[in-house]
Amino acid sequence: MQPRYPQSYGSFQDRWNSLTTTQKIFVGIAGLILLYAFLGGVGIFGRLMDPGYLVAVATIIFVAFPVHEFAHAAMAVKLGDQTPEYQGRYTLNPLVHIDPMGAVLILFTGFGWAKPVQWNPRNVSIDPKVASILVSLAGPISNLVLAVIAMILWSSFLPQIDFVRRFIDFFVFINVLLFVFNLIPIPPLDGSHVLFALLPDDLYQFRVILGQYGMLLLLVIIFAGSQIILAPTVTIIEFLSGIFL
């Protein structure tokens, strides 16, 4: 009888070989981020002992991520493209949106992703470039709206106890962080689709280059230029707090 491990190894190799280059880069970056987290770069172990943080992360995975992807899908459907419906993504059901690696990252690093919604700009009833901007912005804006709703609930309805306060703080921070992060104009983030829609068509080569090196640029931003993300995140939270808290 053949041992079981060669078959398992082959299966893993098959799955790995089936990934695109971009997906392999995604996996590599995710692994580096997790390693960075475990080495103490983001103080993760302290957060993992905080019930408020754990509940906030669970809410992000099962509420915020589905809302984000549904917002993309809903905008595409509203503009005339039924692709998200055909693919089963026009729903708030978290099971169809969750990406395991993105969910793990949100736990250990504070940001992550869900499965991206696909849509076809050739099916929309308006200028495809305008549609690309609207569909792309719908997701990040939904995160900002969720942060505002959480602030309103905290200030008006929720019990003023420490656990709830910490849950709201983490939930608001992660949602605003996702809003800022997704607007970075680097592929494959939502902001890149907005940038590409605004660029002249004769800059096609620039799009190709940015697409090829986008993941590396994101890696640099995450590790070396985190303030590019954190500074506007804190500024937005302070602004919203002054209005809703």
Side-chain angles (χ1 to χ4, degrees):
M1 177 182 296
Q2 290 288 339
R4 298 181 65 88
Y5 65 86
Q7 183 177 358
S8 299
Y9 177 77
S11 177
F12 172 80
Q13 285 293 95
D14 290 341
R15 290 196 297 271
W16 175 257
N17 292 333
S18 68
L19 298 177
T20 65
T21 300
T22 299
Q23 289 172 326
K24 290 178 181 178
I25 294 175
F26 252 128
V27 173
I29 290 178
L32 288 174
I33 293 173
L34 286 176
L35 178 62
Y36 178 66
F38 278 117
L39 291 176
V42 293
I44 183 59
F45 294 108
R47 288 208 304 262
L48 287 178
M49 300 302 292
D50 189 326
Y53 176 74
L54 295 178
V55 174
V57 167
T59 308
I60 292 293
I61 293 173
F62 292 102
V63 176
F65 279 170
V67 168
H68 179 109
E69 297 305 327
F70 175 76
H72 286 309
M75 181 60 72
V77 171
K78 178 69 175 178
L79 296 177
D81 178 37
Q82 306 303 311
T83 302
E85 283 188 305
Y86 298 149
Q87 295 184 344
R89 303 300 302 279
Y90 187 55
T91 176
L92 288 170
N93 180 1
L95 298 181
V96 304
H97 296 298
I98 291 175
D99 179 277
M101 181 58 71
V104 170
L105 278 178
I106 202 73
L107 174 63
F108 287 106
T109 69
F111 68 89
W113 57 78
K115 296 176 182 177
V117 167
Q118 296 179 340
W119 67 287
N120 190 340
R122 286 176 289 200
N123 294 336
V124 298
S125 57
I126 63 174
D127 184 334
K129 289 189 174 183
V130 175
S132 182
I133 293 174
L134 294 176
V135 173
S136 299
L137 291 179
I141 289 175
S142 73
N143 290 114
L144 199 61
V145 171
L146 287 174
V148 170
I149 292 174
M151 287 183 174
I152 294 174
L153 289 175
W154 166 249
S155 63
S156 303
F157 302 101
L158 296 176
Q160 305 291 299
I161 59 177
D162 186 63
F163 165 75
V164 176
R165 179 188 63 79
R166 294 188 63 77
F167 160 71
I168 292 295
D169 285 346
F170 283 123
F171 183 78
V172 168
F173 178 81
I174 295 174
N175 269 293
V176 177
L177 181 68
L178 290 172
F179 169 77
V180 173
F181 182 70
N182 276 289
L183 288 182
I184 296 175
I186 296 176
L189 300 178
D190 295 324
S192 67
H193 302 298
V194 176
L195 174 64
F196 291 162
L198 295 174
L199 288 176
D201 292 335
D202 56 3
L203 291 179
Y204 174 77
Q205 190 61 35
F206 170 75
R207 303 183 191 187
V208 173
I209 295 174
L210 193 58
Q212 289 176 336
Y213 297 102
M215 297 304 300
L216 295 178
L217 290 174
L218 282 180
L219 185 61
V220 171
I221 290 174
I222 290 169
F223 285 101
S226 58
Q227 286 302 314
I228 296 175
I229 304 172
L230 293 178
T233 297
V234 172
T235 300
I236 293 172
I237 291 175
E238 291 175 347
F239 174 76
L240 295 177
S241 298
I243 298 174
F244 298 104
L245 295 180

